[in-house]
Amino acid sequence: MLLPLASCSNGNTTGAGGEKGTVTQGLVSGPPSLTVLPERKWPTMAALSSSTGLEALLSTLQDSVDAGNTLNILNVLDELLSAGTDRRIHYVISKGGSEALLRALVNTARAPAPNYAVLLPLLHLLAKVGHRDRKIGQKAEKAEAVLLTLGLLRQNMKRARRAAACLWVLQAFCSSVSTASFIGKNRGLDFVFKLISSHTTKHTRTVKAAIDTLAAILHSKANSRCAVTKGYISRLLKLYEAWHHKDTDNVNVPIRIALLHCLHHATNTAAGSAALVAEGGMALLFQTTQACLGTKCLESLVESAVQLMRKCFPKCPVPLTSDQSVYSFPLPGRPISSLATDPGPQDDSFEDDSDDDAKTDEPDHREYDDDLETDLEKLRCRPEPDRPLEQLGQYVRLCPELHHDFPDLDSCSELEDSSDEELILDGEGRKQGGRILGHRREQGDSSGAACQKQASPEEAETPPVREGGGPAEKGLKARDGCGRRHSRSRAKTDDHSMVDRLLKSHGACIPNHDPRKYTAAAARTKSIAGYSILAFPDFWGHLPPNHQEPMASRKPNVQRQKVFEDIQRLLCPEDVIDQVVFDLEDPSPPGLQEHPDSLHFFSKFECGNLRKAVRVRNQEYDLILNADVNCSQHLQWFYFEVSGMSASVPYRFNIINCEKANSQFNYGMQPVLYSVREALQGRGHWVRVGSEICYYRNHFRPSGQQKGPSYYTLSFSVTFRHSDDVCYLAYHYPYTYSALQTHLQMLEQSVDPRKVFFRQQSLCSTLAGNPCPLVTITACPPCRSWSHLYQLRNRPYVVLTARVHPGESNASWVMKGTLEFLCSSDPVAEGLREAYIFKIVPMLNPDGVINGTHRCSLNGEDLNRQWMKPDPALSPTIYHTKGFLYYLSSIGRTPLVFSDYHGHSRKKNVFLYGCSVKETLWQSGSSVNTATLKEDPGYRTIPKTLDRIAPAFSFNSCSYLVEKSREATARVVVWRELGVLRSYTLESTYNGCDQGIYKGLQTGTRELEEMGLKFCQSLLSLRRNTLLYNRKFFNHASALLDLDDSLLDHKSHNSFEDDEPPCVEEIEYLSDSCPEHGGDKLDSEVNGNVSSSEEEGVEEERRDGPRNGALRPDRRSCVIPHPVCDASPETLTAKRAMRSGVDIVNGESFS
Ligand SMILES: [Zn+2]
């Protein structure tokens, strides 16, 4: 028997095995460009191109009036779609498959006595195809098939198989929200709900289909509102409870999950969530879920219930009177009242507040990123300077190296200069210098005598701490926890004698740190709150621990457990203590008197930012961070003191007002802790601590908002080693402004002034009146000869900046590494000083750092978005850094390299962002012909070199794209306006590395400092030729860089990997974590319906013809009774040929 396509339209075939393979063979070859396998027997096939073959078949289907013929075509289609991948179905859909099936459905169902022998397979096939056609809803409405199917359902409420088939089709239609609403308006909700019975063992497939369809109908918010008013939420909860209790052997888990899915959809409105809570849904879900824990087959049920509870958990405002920062600062030219105009977090989402992360925030599957700059003019043309040339004269003072004439140096003859002998001599001399240097350091460390001799005028103003004098006027004191559990009002003199005692008995021995100098520096630091207390770690100093710290492993379901505990607050409010034990605005909060056994918190010190602590349970505290000064946002950084603990008791801390949508705390990162007791025993280390760490969306929202998104909780547990210790917890290793001042002062004293030209100047004063340091480092000339001075004054400039974002303390540690290396006697450092003049602004945002902000300066704005037009009054450090760069440019000394050090909160490793016209255009899909564009590829030299020499660095994470949203950042402005080819953002992880020798380890300050050193070393690769005159140095450089460019290209490029795989636990409950009904799952249910034992009519079943009784897991040919099951060997061969043939969509072989 034949089913040649040519004769299909005649409708006179009955369909049998023989031709089937042929038809599908023709169809399978798919797109017209593919060769149709030659078919000798039926020349009509060869004559037809494959796609027209499929179209002919579909057109025959929709016009067919003969039942046998229709069945035959359905059979062929089903066979065709059952093999291979979903791409076949999508191909058929693209050829009008859905429309043909709908048409056939309408034709068949409108007949006076619908033939269910045809209708049922038709519905089954339509369900399978419809679930994969995103436009099936609209198509069905157009074909007038929606109400028709609903009508069929009403007629067959008592016939389980037919009802199930109608339900699946309706469910597919509901993928369009408007179709779902349409079905709701036509009482679809009620008909479907009627089919959902309480616990039963009969017709469970149909019950499941009804629940799934109800969920699909509830897609439409109008329908879910309607469900709330009709009381369906309470009824669904009762149904869920009944199934939970009766389904004791867990055979109907899918039904229970489907009910939860319905509840998810029904609670998509505020009224729905409120109804669920009012009906006791939280308690019911909580209790039923507890009973399901630990049973493996119930995992996804538990997950769905947990997400539902999280979603419906009533939102409450954080317990603050205002989200606005406790600290405000009057801005020049702005009335204080304008501060109140900060709009606070916007409704849809918190701003993406990282340089770094915008692009990786959302899984974005668009082919091109429309944030990329595609305007060639903007990419290539340098805009006019933002200020007149005359204003640049003020920066002459910032280049003392160009005017200094080194009066202390001898003059020497030109002849000696050029000889190798001289260079070797020079090397010897240097060695001598190193010894002197070492000696000086010893002196400095032991007695400080050398330091005093060279003390700067500023230091002279503030003598070292002693009893009753110097900074005592300011009342500065270090907090060590000795005998201060309840009192914060010790006599100042006690503190100073305490400091002296401490220093006498323990004597800090941390390189480039001195507690006394730190105290003196801190006394000069101006803060908004007028800090009078030093945090002990900053005072005492930090040394990295000897061992490296692996990333923390995540306990399974740690977040779930925390969410359960959160939910218990709602269910058992009487168990919650809810007492404020610390409040930045209230020195003696009531909770502290009532709970003397509570932990004590404190944060009124440099970089500290805890605003409030609430004791929730005996060993659990909710912590609220202070927003950035003059605004109500940017909550991520934290640093606070905790005391009054008992040893060996786990305390749970929840930072409840975090803003970011995800965090490295979910991927192995731990906060850092510093113990005063440990430090006094010689272990002054910040260490990574915390267990049961997780980060998830919570039920708190900003205090001033009725609607909108909620905050995230960072939760972790800490077990303290000592009782009655004083400990400090922070987001990352703190690095204060006072620490920088101390460090610079000590560095300056450490260098040999005859060898190293080191100048610290004030770039400008910040808004709060703190000097913003600018450091110059280069080599002094060996003598005063003209050629040496000329060489010095013509060295290229390297400009480095850091810490524009105060919360990125990692950037300061990298900068510390850079500064220390550049001041060191390492031969490579010597070579670099001889090759370059380094201009370093180590802290672009001192005010932000001092006052514990995360992102902004005192004006509540991100300084790294001000570079295009920096305001001299509001963003002075940016204004003058840019002005200084303009100045260098105006004297023909545009920097060779500019790099701004940052921290990256979402990614691992260290990497660079640079700027490239070509890469941006490629990546943006721009039509500009980049082949004709000339671009110096030199911007890649440093990252390539770093990839070789810096273990934490990852070349694959680098990017050179210019984004519109980043056009006002340092990197892009310095590149575009100043024309610096090598303009970078250096991003360092807060967490650790996932490659190289540090893989699996969290970074410590040692690794961060090493990165700063390696960045300097990488600069060698730019100046190789100029450096060759120094033979000794050349050997070092060669060994270090392995000067072979070809080797530098060993890593692949342009894999912009995503930050992390999705978190194992849902961080967000807003995105409905209940998975949509997958097409494959539906297939097996549909197939089950074909072979169902839950039949309503035996006669009907007979008419369906012979059937394979086994329930098959795949979607292969179960829709339709098989007229071809006894196929001839020839057909089977043809089928095999088809299966191992060519994919219909792209011609790939499949098997
Ligand atoms: Zn940053």
Side-chain angles (χ1 to χ4, degrees):
M1 296 283 274
L2 302 185
L3 183 66
L5 290 184
S7 65
C8 273
S9 52
N10 300 337
N12 60 357
T13 54
T14 53
E19 69 287 358
K20 208 186 139 286
T22 312
V23 174
T24 45
Q25 195 172 50
L27 295 165
V28 158
S29 47
S33 59
L34 293 172
T35 321
V36 178
L37 292 172
E39 182 46 77
R40 287 173 207 91
K41 246 170 144 185
W42 298 287
T44 44
M45 280 304 295
L48 286 165
S49 85
S50 54
S51 97
T52 54
L54 175 62
E55 280 155 10
L57 189 69
L58 292 173
S59 114
T60 311
L61 172 70
Q62 55 187 338
D63 298 330
S64 167
V65 286
D66 177 85
N69 194 19
T70 307
L71 264 181
N72 236 325
I73 298 172
L74 290 174
N75 190 18
V76 168
L77 275 174
D78 185 50
E79 186 70 25
L80 169 68
L81 300 181
S82 299
T85 62
D86 271 8
R87 282 193 292 188
R88 287 181 170 218
I89 295 194
H90 290 297
Y91 182 69
V92 170
I93 290 168
S94 75
K95 293 293 167 197
S98 305
E99 288 88 342
L101 287 167
L102 287 164
R103 190 84 233 129
L105 173 70
V106 171
N107 288 344
T108 316
R110 279 188 183 155
N115 179 355
Y116 279 91
V118 176
L119 214 42
L120 211 52
L122 191 53
L123 287 167
H124 288 160
L125 192 60
L126 187 58
K128 286 185 181 183
V129 173
H131 270 270
R132 291 166 173 86
D133 184 349
R134 285 159 66 185
K135 297 205 170 120
I136 189 70
Q138 290 97 304
K139 289 176 185 174
E141 286 191 57
K142 201 170 161 200
E144 300 182 351
V146 180
L147 292 184
L148 181 121
T149 312
L150 198 57
L152 284 178
L153 176 69
R154 285 182 66 186
Q155 290 160 25
N156 291 289
M157 298 287 274
K158 295 231 163 81
R159 292 168 188 265
R161 274 182 76 207
R162 293 181 188 177
C166 295
L167 286 166
W168 287 316
V169 170
L170 286 171
Q171 193 189 330
F173 292 167
C174 286
S175 65
S176 147
V177 175
S178 68
T179 313
S181 305
F182 181 65
I183 291 173
K185 275 184 202 140
N186 288 281
R187 299 187 56 212
L189 211 52
D190 300 333
F191 298 134
V192 174
F193 201 91
K194 267 186 202 150
L195 287 166
I196 306 174
S197 58
S198 193
H199 184 261
T200 171
T201 49
K202 280 198 206 154
H203 307 308
T204 50
R205 190 179 293 111
T206 309
V207 174
K208 167 81 167 39
I211 302 172
D212 287 338
T213 308
L214 184 72
I217 295 175
L218 292 173
H219 244 128
S220 134
K221 281 204 176 169
N223 289 343
S224 63
R225 271 189 286 271
C226 177
V228 175
T229 30
K230 289 186 172 182
Y232 280 2
I233 290 199
S234 146
R235 290 167 70 184
L236 282 168
L237 284 169
K238 289 207 175 80
L239 284 167
Y240 179 73
E241 191 176 15
W243 280 89
H244 168 80
H245 288 305
K246 299 233 171 95
D247 185 30
T248 43
D249 41 3
N250 297 327
V251 290
N252 285 307
V253 178
I255 288 190
R256 290 153 66 188
I257 293 178
L259 284 167
L260 290 175
H261 195 184
C262 274
L263 283 164
H264 262 286
H265 284 235
T267 52
N268 272 342
T269 59
S273 288
L276 184 134
V277 175
E279 298 290 342
M282 293 294 279
L284 169 72
L285 290 168
F286 187 84
Q287 282 146 15
T288 51
T289 306
Q290 298 302 314
C292 296
L293 292 177
T295 309
K296 206 160 181 206
C297 69
L298 299 177
E299 256 310 296
S300 49
L301 178 112
V302 169
E303 191 50 36
S304 185
V306 169
Q307 295 305 339
L308 181 58
M309 284 186 274
R310 288 179 69 194
K311 190 174 84 168
C312 297
F313 199 135
K315 309 289 169 290
C316 65
V318 284
L320 292 177
T321 46
S322 159
D323 301 306
Q324 198 75 17
S325 171
V326 169
Y327 301 139
S328 65
F329 184 82
L331 295 172
R334 278 197 215 168
I336 291 222
S337 60
S338 73
L339 299 180
T341 58
D342 172 28
Q346 295 306 298
D347 261 9
D348 28 349
S349 73
F350 290 105
E351 92 178 78
D352 163 48
D353 63 347
S354 225
D355 275 352
D356 20 26
D357 354 33
K359 277 203 306 170
T360 49
D361 273 352
E362 53 204 85
D364 193 346
H365 301 299
R366 278 172 303 172
E367 209 171 330
Y368 297 116
D369 182 350
D370 55 16
D371 187 29
L372 293 180
E373 186 58 76
T374 50
D375 183 340
L376 191 59
E377 293 308 299
K378 274 197 151 180
L379 286 171
R380 287 216 305 179
C381 295
R382 271 171 74 173
E384 289 297 306
D386 67 359
R387 64 197 86 188
L389 200 63
E390 307 83 69
Q391 285 185 12
L392 302 179
Q394 58 176 309
Y395 300 109
V396 175
R397 71 174 180 95
L398 296 178
C399 287
E401 70 282 1
L402 299 182
H403 314 290
H404 196 70
D405 64 352
F406 300 90
D408 298 341
L409 292 180
D410 302 330
S411 30
C412 53
S413 82
E414 298 293 317
L415 196 77
E416 282 170 331
D417 285 350
S418 56
S419 79
D420 280 348
E421 294 292 321
E422 157 65 19
L423 285 173
I424 291 159
L425 271 177
D426 191 21
E428 305 257 316
R430 224 170 248 135
K431 271 187 202 158
Q432 205 178 14
R435 272 200 295 276
I436 293 167
L437 209 63
H439 179 59
R440 286 188 179 192
R441 275 190 186 140
E442 275 165 35
Q443 276 191 334
D445 284 345
S446 57
S447 67
C451 310
Q452 283 196 355
K453 203 174 161 192
Q454 299 179 13
S456 67
E458 275 179 324
E459 194 197 16
E461 287 163 20
T462 37
V465 186
R466 57 176 190 277
E467 262 184 347
E473 269 86 55
K474 291 201 168 197
L476 265 185
K477 41 191 173 169
R479 293 168 65 80
D480 70 331
C482 299
R484 44 149 294 281
R485 278 199 56 172
H486 307 300
S487 160
R488 303 202 182 279
S489 55
R490 283 164 300 167
K492 288 163 190 168
T493 49
D494 284 356
D495 293 311
H496 291 292
S497 56
M498 179 273 289
V499 167
D500 285 341
R501 266 199 334 270
L502 274 179
L503 290 177
K504 234 178 249 161
S505 55
H506 293 282
C509 51
I510 293 170
N512 291 314
H513 181 81
D514 179 329
R516 288 170 181 281
K517 287 194 168 65
Y518 184 85
T519 310
R524 294 188 295 268
T525 298
K526 297 189 177 84
S527 61
I528 293 178
Y531 298 137
S532 60
I533 284 176
L534 306 178
F536 190 84
D538 305 315
F539 161 77
W540 196 249
H542 149 80
L543 266 184
N546 291 323
H547 57 280
Q548 286 184 304
E549 297 166 285
M551 288 176 197
S553 57
R554 191 180 167 99
K555 259 175 55 183
N557 298 324
V558 53
Q559 178 187 300
R560 178 184 295 174
Q561 190 49 43
K562 302 221 173 192
V563 167
F564 283 149
E565 289 176 27
D566 287 354
I567 291 168
Q568 277 173 311
R569 296 185 189 192
L570 179 78
L571 300 179
C572 315
E574 63 281 2
D575 294 346
V576 178
I577 298 171
D578 201 19
Q579 284 283 355
V580 176
V581 293
F582 169 73
D583 188 341
L584 201 51
E585 294 160 288
D586 177 3
S588 52
L592 208 53
Q593 278 110 49
E594 286 174 41
H595 295 267
D597 62 330
S598 164
L599 287 180
H600 291 238
F601 294 87
F602 189 70
S603 73
K604 214 165 174 180
F605 48 75
E606 205 175 328
C607 297
N609 72 337
L610 181 67
R611 176 164 181 173
K612 209 165 188 174
V614 181
R615 193 182 195 189
V616 187
R617 297 184 178 96
N618 274 335
Q619 266 80 39
E620 182 178 349
Y621 295 84
D622 279 356
L623 307 178
I624 303 172
L625 305 179
N626 191 22
D628 281 8
V629 176
N630 279 359
C631 74
S632 62
Q633 275 176 282
H634 309 296
L635 301 147
Q636 185 174 356
W637 166 259
F638 60 87
Y639 184 18
F640 59 88
E641 180 200 275
V642 56
S643 58
M645 64 284 282
S646 303
S648 310
V649 176
Y651 290 90
R652 176 178 164 184
F653 298 100
N654 309 307
I655 296 178
I656 60 167
N657 62 339
C658 302
E659 285 171 329
K660 289 212 164 196
N662 198 349
S663 165
Q664 280 290 325
F665 283 119
N666 277 329
Y667 304 95
M669 182 164 100
Q670 294 172 292
V672 294
L673 175 136
Y674 190 104
S675 153
V676 171
R677 280 187 188 269
E678 287 285 302
L680 295 179
Q681 290 169 23
R683 294 182 292 277
H685 316 303
W686 280 105
V687 288
R688 301 271 190 171
V689 293
S691 57
E692 307 192 352
I693 302 172
C694 67
Y695 187 95
Y696 58 96
R697 188 184 271 274
N698 62 25
H699 60 281
F700 289 105
R701 62 160 60 113
S703 70
Q705 288 187 28
Q706 298 305 307
K707 285 173 76 176
S710 38
Y711 283 126
Y712 291 79
T713 291
L714 162 64
S715 181
F716 58 94
S717 296
V718 176
T719 306
F720 298 97
R721 183 179 286 199
H722 308 284
S723 289
D724 292 320
D725 197 355
V726 176
C727 289
Y728 293 80
L729 281 161
Y731 181 66
H732 199 68
Y733 309 97
Y735 190 98
T736 64
Y737 172 75
S738 302
L740 173 71
Q741 295 288 35
T742 313
H743 187 225
L744 291 179
Q745 188 191 345
M746 296 189 72
L747 268 184
E748 184 163 14
Q749 287 158 7
S750 77
V751 298
D752 178 351
R754 293 176 310 162
K755 300 284 175 195
V756 183
F757 184 91
F758 183 107
R759 286 289 180 284
Q760 193 199 151
Q761 295 171 285
S762 171
L763 172 74
C764 62
S765 183
T766 66
L767 282 178
N770 291 295
C772 176
L774 170 81
V775 178
T776 305
I777 301 172
T778 192
C780 293
C783 64
R784 289 177 70 196
S785 74
W786 177 85
S787 70
H788 277 126
L789 288 177
Y790 178 83
Q791 194 272 339
L792 184 157
R793 289 170 188 166
N794 282 283
R795 291 172 191 164
Y797 279 90
V798 171
V799 177
L800 305 174
T801 59
R803 205 73 188 279
V804 69
H805 294 140
E808 294 165 5
S809 61
N810 34 6
S812 278
W813 291 97
V814 177
M815 183 53 89
K816 181 171 184 278
T818 289
L819 285 164
E820 283 180 8
F821 180 71
L822 289 178
C823 291
S824 74
S825 52
D826 184 291
V828 173
E830 287 181 18
L832 287 168
R833 289 194 298 263
E834 285 165 17
Y836 300 110
I837 300 169
F838 291 90
K839 291 287 179 184
I840 300 176
V841 185
M843 198 172 275
L844 277 168
N845 191 351
D847 289 347
V849 170
I850 294 164
N851 295 294
T853 72
H854 173 66
R855 185 72 178 178
C856 299
S857 179
L858 299 188
N859 60 356
E861 301 215 29
D862 181 345
L863 288 183
N864 204 31
R865 294 292 185 278
Q866 313 299 321
W867 281 78
M868 287 236 281
K869 271 240 158 274
D871 184 311
L874 294 174
S875 312
T877 60
I878 305 302
Y879 179 82
H880 291 293
T881 306
K882 191 177 175 187
F884 174 65
L885 287 164
Y886 267 133
Y887 169 71
L888 288 180
S889 186
S890 73
I891 58 169
R893 307 297 299 279
T894 302
L896 184 70
V897 176
F898 171 84
S899 185
D900 190 21
Y901 294 4
H902 284 252
H904 199 296
S905 69
R906 297 274 184 108
K907 288 190 171 188
K908 296 195 170 74
N909 310 315
V910 181
F911 49 94
L912 285 171
Y913 289 132
C915 303
S916 156
V917 175
K918 280 197 170 189
E919 296 197 28
T920 304
L921 291 174
W922 286 333
Q923 200 71 21
S924 70
S926 157
S927 57
V928 177
N929 179 9
T930 48
T932 57
L933 278 177
K934 285 222 169 80
E935 185 173 50
D936 183 342
Y939 63 88
R940 284 173 158 262
T941 313
I942 288 176
K944 277 183 187 170
T945 310
L946 284 173
D947 195 41
R948 286 184 52 80
I949 65 172
F953 191 83
S954 163
F955 187 76
N956 286 341
S957 303
C958 297
S959 163
Y960 312 94
L961 305 178
V962 180
E963 305 93 338
K964 290 176 205 156
S965 59
R966 303 286 181 270
E967 65 174 5
T969 61
R971 162 179 64 104
V972 176
V973 169
V974 172
W975 172 75
R976 180 184 285 157
E977 296 189 29
L978 278 304
V980 177
L981 171 72
R982 296 172 186 86
S983 175
Y984 303 105
T985 305
L986 178 73
E987 297 278 5
S988 301
T989 179
Y990 288 95
N991 183 358
C993 296
D994 59 10
Q995 48 84 46
I997 57 168
Y998 298 151
K999 186 173 180 176
L1001 299 172
Q1002 296 181 83
T1003 52
T1005 54
R1006 187 186 289 113
E1007 291 74 31
L1008 293 167
E1009 290 185 47
E1010 178 191 64
M1011 192 58 228
L1013 172 158
K1014 295 291 180 187
F1015 185 83
C1016 296
Q1017 291 184 340
S1018 76
L1019 297 169
L1020 287 176
S1021 56
L1022 305 179
R1023 290 275 290 165
R1024 203 172 286 165
N1025 297 335
T1026 6
L1027 294 174
L1028 296 189
Y1029 77 96
N1030 182 332
R1031 189 184 292 160
K1032 185 188 108 203
F1033 172 67
F1034 176 74
N1035 293 336
H1036 281 285
S1038 310
L1040 185 70
L1041 294 181
D1042 194 2
L1043 295 173
D1044 180 355
D1045 275 323
S1046 63
L1047 285 176
L1048 295 182
D1049 281 313
H1050 70 287
K1051 278 199 191 169
S1052 69
H1053 146 69
N1054 247 353
S1055 67
F1056 298 106
E1057 69 234 64
D1058 249 351
D1059 303 345
E1060 299 293 349
C1063 193
V1064 276
E1065 292 186 85
E1066 204 73 38
I1067 299 149
E1068 276 273 6
Y1069 57 75
L1070 289 185
S1071 58
D1072 187 353
S1073 72
C1074 216
E1076 289 305 313
H1077 207 60
D1080 287 336
K1081 236 184 206 166
L1082 182 100
D1083 287 341
S1084 60
E1085 283 170 26
V1086 172
N1087 294 346
N1089 207 37
V1090 176
S1091 55
S1092 173
S1093 56
E1094 304 171 351
E1095 295 309 336
E1096 54 265 339
V1098 182
E1099 283 173 29
E1100 189 184 318
E1101 192 183 349
R1102 290 235 177 85
R1103 263 187 274 134
D1104 285 351
R1107 212 178 39 245
N1108 184 346
L1111 193 137
R1112 302 194 202 176
D1114 61 359
R1115 61 168 183 269
R1116 183 172 304 160
S1117 273
C1118 280
V1119 170
I1120 304 180
H1122 274 238
V1124 290
C1125 59
D1126 52 347
S1128 65
E1130 196 183 56
T1131 318
L1132 289 173
T1133 318
K1135 274 164 103 176
R1136 261 199 296 280
M1138 174 197 86
R1139 292 248 164 76
S1140 58
V1142 179
D1143 189 294
I1144 56 168
V1145 174
N1146 65 359
E1148 282 169 16
S1149 286
F1150 59 84
S1151 52

